[in-house]
Amino acid sequence: MTSSYASGVSSTPLLGDTIGANLARTVAAFADRDALVERASGRRWTYEQLADDVDAVALGLRDLGVVKGDRVGIWSPNCAEWVLVQYATAKLGAILVNINPAYRVHELEFVLNQAGIRTLVSAPAFKTSDYAAMIDGVGPKCAALRDVVLIGTPEWDALMAAGRADDPAVLTEIGRTLTADDPINIQYTSGTTGFPKGATLSHHNILNNGFFVGELCAYDEEDRVCVPVPFYHCFGMVMGNLAATSHGACVVIPAPAFDPKATLDAVAAERCTSLYGVPTMFIAVLNEPSLDDLDLSSLRTGIMAGSPCPVEVMKQVIERLGMSEVAICYGMTETSPVSTQTRAGDSLDRRVSTVGRVQPHLEIKVIDPETGVTVPRGTPGEFCTRGYSVMLGYWDEPDKTAEAIDAARWMHTGDLAVMDDDGYVSITGRIKDMVIRGGENIYPREIEEFLYTHPDIVDAQVIGVPDEKYGEELMAWVRLREGVPGLTAEALRTFCEGRLAHFKIPRYVHVVDEFPMTVTGKIRKVQMRAEAVDILALGDA
């Protein structure tokens, strides 16, 4: 019987570059081609112009005293300056610390101190968040913090001017002191309890992951990639920026934060060939009234990731958006992020029922979480991955690193998966999300997929809630089509009876306008479970 193990064979070698060296090679090949477009301001950069501005930011940071190994925080929604800082810190060998734009004061203070951030580059404000005021409030409590530079202010202009006055040859000298295995990025992963952990990633980790994501999307210098997903997450800065720049493609920033109309307008105006998003973003784009009035014929591919894609959504993405080669990616921040990806020729069924096959140069396996033994194909277990993509570790937390990465350097993801005979992987949920009702193991994903077939349901999420008799019961949170008055638990039960096993039929139904989400568009089931206890008055259970 074949075991649930696969390795990614590839004739394309891994890149041994630093990010700065890889960008220089792209600039030399495609100097006059578009590299970056920011729709909100109308600003545009060719690769040559991008390289000049990256150097100016790098030298400006150096004038502030930033050296190799120093941590530089970036706290901002998507903008061109975010991209400049990403590549500038890489050229200096400084470690870029991505700070979630949704963070409040106590979270900002934690990250500034935990990473020991020396210099913070920040937007002055965004939406209702006054970043400058929050920084003023926590600054005195952060011992390592020396400099704060606010984007779009005289401070930023001064940094750029100082950098332009310096000799770029200095960066060439610095480049000779850097290696591909140096830490270059810290990304904080939201834990279910306590403070987040800082996944520490190297040039080698994220440059190669971006490159091979781009390879499997068949990117070249003709591609234009619309990136409405946040840069502070791997989806934006690795699968977006690094996938594009390692192939000479252009990054298009449609708006500072996701907006379905701005996204579609950017695709049409810039003739984008690729569009990124989580399923909820694609649902919003498909429901945008202006969709059918726009010429989106340039689209051929894109990436959907973050959570499983409903069948109907995938069909519409292919038919209405023309993304015939759209890829599904699966991974986590700790693995740079992508471990598996569908290929352009994969069937619709493969793209909605699986997360693809192992990425080039990586290994994956599915194990029994109790024994650690690799299970036979077709048997569920915990998904593990090993290879160039696995993080260096959690910043300054060796014990937590050892809990996640075993002695053989396998990353234990905590995700439940099944590998089929052809090596395709299906993610069936989180080990912690699995619902155990009266001794029956229930995987919410299966029920969610079934609920999408209900004519009135636009989106559905299933969670386990406490129950005195069975230990746990099922609760469905649903979003309904516009104009539908409501949906009772009894009506949903009638719809499910005879089509789902009785123990898989949700006992409770909660109709919502939207689900609690992270900034990256992932559903926060932890928060849903907490709210459900109050909604259903299950405190005693």
Side-chain angles (χ1 to χ4, degrees), residues 282-283 286 303-304 309-321 323-328 342 347-354:
F282 280 104
I283 290 169
L286 290 165
I303 295 176
M304 202 182 302
C309 176
V311 178
E312 287 306 311
V313 175
M314 179 59 81
K315 283 181 181 173
Q316 289 193 53
V317 165
I318 292 170
E319 291 168 10
R320 296 181 66 201
L321 299 180
M323 295 168 58
S324 59
E325 298 175 23
V326 64
I328 298 292
T342 58
S347 67
L348 176 69
D349 180 61
R350 291 282 201 208
R351 286 187 256 189
V352 294
S353 64
T354 82

Side-chain angles (χ1 to χ4, degrees), residues 171-309:
L171 294 174
T172 305
E173 291 302 312
I174 291 172
R176 293 193 180 105
T177 71
L178 308 181
T179 77
D181 294 319
D182 292 335
I184 203 65
N185 186 215
I186 296 174
Q187 299 196 30
Y188 281 87
T189 63
S190 52
T192 52
T193 58
F195 282 107
K197 304 182 290 287
T200 307
L201 303 165
S202 66
H203 295 268
H204 195 65
N205 287 149
I206 60 176
L207 175 59
N208 275 292
N209 205 258
F211 174 70
F212 280 102
V213 164
E215 285 288 285
L216 294 188
C217 288
Y219 285 164
D220 63 20
E221 69 275 13
E222 300 290 337
D223 280 293
R224 302 173 72 79
V225 186
C226 184
V227 185
V229 295
F231 287 149
Y232 91 85
H233 188 266
C234 276
F235 202 168
M237 70 167 285
V238 179
M239 299 157 71
N241 296 345
L242 286 168
T245 61
S246 60
H247 289 88
C250 176
V251 173
V252 177
I253 307 171
F258 174 65
D259 176 273
K261 186 176 189 307
T263 299
L264 285 170
D265 288 346
V267 170
E270 294 296 330
R271 307 301 295 152
C272 293
T273 58
S274 178
L275 173 61
Y276 288 6
V278 296
T280 50
M281 288 181 176
F282 280 104
I283 290 169
V285 163
L286 290 165
N287 287 324
E288 172 55 41
S290 64
L291 170 61
D292 294 326
D293 299 327
L294 294 169
D295 178 4
L296 307 176
S297 59
S298 57
L299 279 176
R300 69 167 179 87
T301 189
I303 295 176
M304 202 182 302
S307 58
C309 176

Side-chain angles (χ1 to χ4, degrees), residues 113-116 186 188 198 200 393-401:
N113 280 318
Q114 206 276 330
I186 296 174
Y188 281 87
T200 307
Y394 292 118
W395 183 261
D396 206 21
E397 294 194 271
D399 292 346
K400 290 210 167 72
T401 301

Side-chain angles (χ1 to χ4, degrees), residues 377-423:
R377 295 206 177 184
T379 305
E382 182 183 14
F383 182 90
C384 299
T385 185
R386 177 168 71 177
Y388 77 80
S389 68
V390 176
M391 66 174 179
L392 300 177
Y394 292 118
W395 183 261
D396 206 21
E397 294 194 271
D399 292 346
K400 290 210 167 72
T401 301
E403 289 171 14
I405 303 172
D406 66 26
R409 290 290 297 169
W410 285 99
M411 177 78 206
H412 292 248
T413 66
D415 284 329
L416 291 164
V418 179
M419 185 185 295
D420 71 14
D421 289 337
D422 297 317

Side-chain angles (χ1 to χ4, degrees), residues 517-536:
M517 289 192 186
T518 66
V519 174
T520 52
K522 288 188 179 180
I523 308 293
R524 284 189 50 80
K525 287 196 171 182
V526 172
Q527 185 179 334
M528 288 166 61
R529 282 191 285 267
E531 290 181 16
V533 170
D534 293 333
I535 292 166
L536 302 173

Side-chain angles (χ1 to χ4, degrees), residues 34-83:
D34 283 353
L36 180 64
V37 175
E38 184 187 73
R39 292 276 297 166
S41 66
R43 293 181 295 169
R44 316 174 76 84
W45 287 258
T46 63
Y47 267 100
E48 186 171 41
Q49 291 165 338
L50 178 70
D52 287 346
D53 277 1
V54 165
D55 285 358
V57 174
L59 291 166
L61 289 169
R62 178 178 166 276
D63 280 358
L64 291 179
V66 175
V67 297
K68 178 181 176 179
D70 282 347
R71 273 76 70 205
V72 176
I74 176 82
W75 194 27
S76 167
N78 286 11
C79 62
E81 286 81 4
W82 211 112
V83 181

